[in-house]
Amino acid sequence: MQQLEAGVELDYQSPTYKDAYSRINAIVIEGEQEAYENYLSLTKLLPDQAEDLTRLSKMESRHKKGFQACARNLSVDPDMDFAREFFAGLHGNFQKAAEENKIVTCLLIQSLIIECFAIAAYNIYIPVADAFARKITEGVVQDEYTHLNFGEEWLKANFEASKAELEEANRGNLPLVWKMLNQVADDADVLGMEKEALVEDFMIQYGEALEKIGFNKRELVRLSMHGLAV
Ligand code: Y39
Ligand code: FE
Ligand code: FE
Ligand code: FE
C-alpha cells in the first residue's frame, strides 16, 4: 500500500489493480519489443549509424525484460493480445514507411512520438509504482531520453529537407496517440495515472522536441493541433 498525495490508496495486490496492470504492463512490453524491432529496421535505412542504432535496440530489449519482471513480481499475466492490437496502427505505419525508405517518417513515429509517449507514461508512473517497478522504470526513462535525442539530432541536421515529410507524418500519426490514450485512460487511472497529466507531459515533451529540431512556435502549435484532427 502506498499513500498518495491525493489521498488515494493503491493496493498492488487487489484484483482491480492487477487487471488494469495486465493491460498497461502488456502495452509497455509490446512497445519495448516493437521499439527494439524499429531501431533494428532503422539500421538498414541509416547504415552509417548502424552501431548507435543497434545500441538503442539492445536497450529496448533490456527494457522489455525489466517490465516483464515487474509483471512477474506482481504475479500478473500481461495481456499481449490486447497490446498488439493497441499498437497495430502505429506499428503498421512504421513498417510501411520503412518499406518505402521513409527515414523521416520512421524517426518521427519511433524516436519522437513513441519515445515522448514513453517518457510521459514513465514519468507519471514512477511516483505511483510499486517499489520494484519504480526502480526499474527510473532506470528505463533515462534511456528513453537518449532515444528521443537520437531522433532530434538527426532531424535537426536534416531539417529543411525533412520538413514536409515531418508535417505529413505528424498528421498521419499524432491522432493515433490520442486514440491510444483514450483507450487506456480508465486502466491508467486505476494505476493512479491521470489522463490529463499524461496528455500534458506528452505535449510538453513533443513540443520541446519539435522546437529543438527547428520548428518555430507557430508551426509547433499547428503541428500539435493536427493531433486533434481525428
Ligand atoms: O521507446 C520505447 O521504449 C517505447 C516503446 C515504449 C513504449 C511505451 C508505451 C507506453 C504507453 C503506456 C501508456 C500508459 C497510459
Ligand atoms: Fe512486429
Ligand atoms: Fe524503451
Ligand atoms: Fe526507447
Side-chain angles (χ1 to χ4, degrees):
M1 296 263 206
Q2 188 201 353
Q3 191 68 38
L4 300 179
E5 276 171 50
V8 183
E9 278 198 356
L10 291 177
D11 180 353
Y12 301 115
Q13 287 304 327
S14 73
T16 314
Y17 188 93
K18 287 167 75 165
D19 176 58
Y21 202 82
S22 73
R23 285 178 295 278
I24 301 281
N25 171 266
I27 286 167
V28 170
I29 291 170
E30 176 66 19
E32 297 292 355
Q33 171 64 30
E34 291 185 13
Y36 163 81
E37 292 169 17
N38 291 349
Y39 282 114
L40 277 188
S41 304
L42 277 163
T43 62
K44 307 278 187 321
L45 303 184
L46 294 167
D48 288 353
Q49 289 171 83
E51 211 178 298
D52 277 345
L53 288 161
T54 304
R55 198 167 43 81
L56 301 194
S57 78
K58 282 183 182 151
M59 292 160 104
E60 303 295 19
S61 91
R62 270 199 304 277
H63 297 170
K64 175 183 154 182
K65 293 197 179 88
F67 290 119
Q68 285 173 323
C70 294
R72 278 197 302 276
N73 180 56
L74 293 181
S75 313
V76 165
D77 182 20
D79 186 346
M80 298 311 296
D81 289 338
F82 174 85
R84 269 185 290 273
E85 189 61 36
F86 180 83
F87 268 110
L90 276 184
H91 193 44
N93 286 355
F94 181 96
Q95 287 180 320
K96 182 165 174 284
E99 272 163 33
E100 295 170 354
N101 283 309
K102 291 175 115 173
I103 298 170
V104 172
T105 301
C106 286
L107 285 175
L108 177 117
I109 294 174
Q110 175 58 47
S111 293
L112 299 191
I113 288 188
I114 298 181
E115 298 294 353
C116 286
F117 196 19
I119 289 168
Y122 297 163
N123 278 333
I124 302 296
Y125 176 54
I126 285 167
V128 294
D130 66 83
F132 182 88
R134 188 183 316 144
K135 245 208 174 106
I136 289 192
T137 311
E138 280 168 348
V140 168
V141 76
Q142 296 312 316
D143 290 347
E144 308 301 2
Y145 284 107
T146 70
H147 304 171
L148 171 59
N149 189 254
F150 179 91
E152 288 170 345
E153 291 298 326
W154 194 93
L155 292 166
K156 184 179 170 184
N158 299 275
F159 182 58
E160 283 308 326
S162 306
K163 244 180 137 173
E165 190 179 327
L166 276 173
E167 183 150 338
E168 191 192 333
N170 174 77
R171 201 186 275 278
N173 290 283
L174 195 54
L176 292 179
V177 174
W178 300 138
K179 203 182 113 199
M180 292 161 84
L181 255 173
N182 284 329
Q183 237 180 302
V184 289
D186 290 344
D187 286 330
D189 199 67
V190 172
L191 270 49
M193 303 161 73
E194 280 180 23
K195 185 187 156 191
E196 285 70 28
L198 289 163
V199 171
E200 224 174 78
D201 219 80
F202 175 84
M203 285 317 298
I204 290 170
Q205 297 299 336
Y206 193 59
E208 281 179 3
L210 294 173
E211 207 168 5
K212 273 188 208 159
I213 289 165
F215 287 105
N216 66 36
K217 288 263 195 277
R218 178 177 301 276
E219 291 168 325
L220 219 143
V221 170
R222 203 156 44 80
L223 289 167
S224 303
M225 281 175 52
H226 288 169
L228 305 170
V230 189

